Amino acid sequence: MKPNFALKLSNDGVEFLHRVGGGWTPVGTVSFESDDVAAGCARLIDEGRRLEPGGLRTKLVLPDSEVRYSSVVAPGPTDEARRYQIEAEIERLTPYAIDELAYDWSVEDDHAMVVICARDTLEQAETFADGYGFNPVSFVALPEGGQFAGEPFFGETSVARAHLPAGDKVQRDADA
């Protein structure tokens, strides 16, 4: 199951997007500076329900200010060896222990393009989105060209099961 909505988070506000045949179309925005956030989010949810009466399932798009991109040497040769190499580099790159981070990578020859986010950030994003009724089901990032191959995927939210049909799992998009 692919989420039918995306919530792009930023330090200034949110943008709510609806999945359509060829990609995404804007539903609306809420500014943290000038809008009544609760009323603005309620307006977006109402519009989302009008567009998708069967329910909202939203992927949370984390702001670039909250993720880190890097390229690391990770020749493998096995997937397990590559994971170990990537995790060692991630711990070197950040002040966090590996279990305090969510990360994803794409492989290019002997290198891995890595994207990293603190789990605390994911929890804050989920709390915001779930609290306002966006029904968050997964976390992603939106890289600039060349930073990552595909869509960086940080996994399902802790509340995903409540918003997904029984037995369904969130499918990542091939493209960011």
Side-chain angles (χ1 to χ4, degrees):
M1 185 288 313
K2 291 192 178 188
N4 51 4
F5 290 94
L7 186 66
K8 284 180 69 177
L9 303 162
S10 77
N11 295 327
D12 301 324
V14 297
E15 180 181 15
F16 197 43
L17 305 164
H18 180 231
R19 186 185 295 272
V20 294
W24 298 92
T25 187
V27 174
T29 62
V30 174
S31 168
F32 295 151
E33 307 262 331
S34 60
D35 291 340
D36 175 338
V37 174
C41 288
R43 178 181 43 81
L44 295 178
I45 296 300
D46 288 345
E47 182 61 16
R49 287 187 182 129
R50 188 189 67 72
L51 292 167
E52 295 279 347
L56 281 72
R57 290 170 306 279
T58 304
K59 68 177 172 179
L60 303 180
V61 183
L62 302 167
D64 277 345
S65 62
E66 299 300 323
V67 297
R68 178 168 183 182
Y69 296 92
S70 187
S71 177
V72 301
V73 176
T78 65
D79 288 344
E80 185 178 329
R82 180 170 280 140
R83 176 181 295 278
Y84 176 79
Q85 293 158 354
I86 289 169
E87 288 179 350
E89 283 298 307
I90 287 172
E91 284 191 323
R92 188 186 65 73
L93 290 169
T94 71
Y96 297 94
I98 199 72
D99 64 341
E100 297 175 297
L101 299 167
Y103 60 94
D104 193 11
W105 74 83
S106 59
V107 176
E108 191 173 284
D109 298 322
D110 284 348
H111 288 78
M113 297 185 310
V114 179
V115 60
I116 309 160
C117 184
R119 291 198 182 276
D120 287 348
T121 299
L122 301 182
E123 290 172 14
Q124 291 169 5
E126 179 180 326
T127 298
F128 172 85
D130 196 45
Y132 283 109
F134 287 100
N135 298 350
V137 295
S138 64
F139 304 101
V140 302
L142 187 59
E144 300 278 328
Q147 287 182 307
F148 198 85
E151 178 180 66
F153 186 75
F154 296 112
E156 292 184 355
T157 64
S158 68
V159 297
R161 296 287 126 232
H163 306 302
L164 295 172
D168 271 2
K169 289 188 174 212
V170 176
Q171 296 175 2
R172 75 191 302 162
D173 285 320
D175 297 319

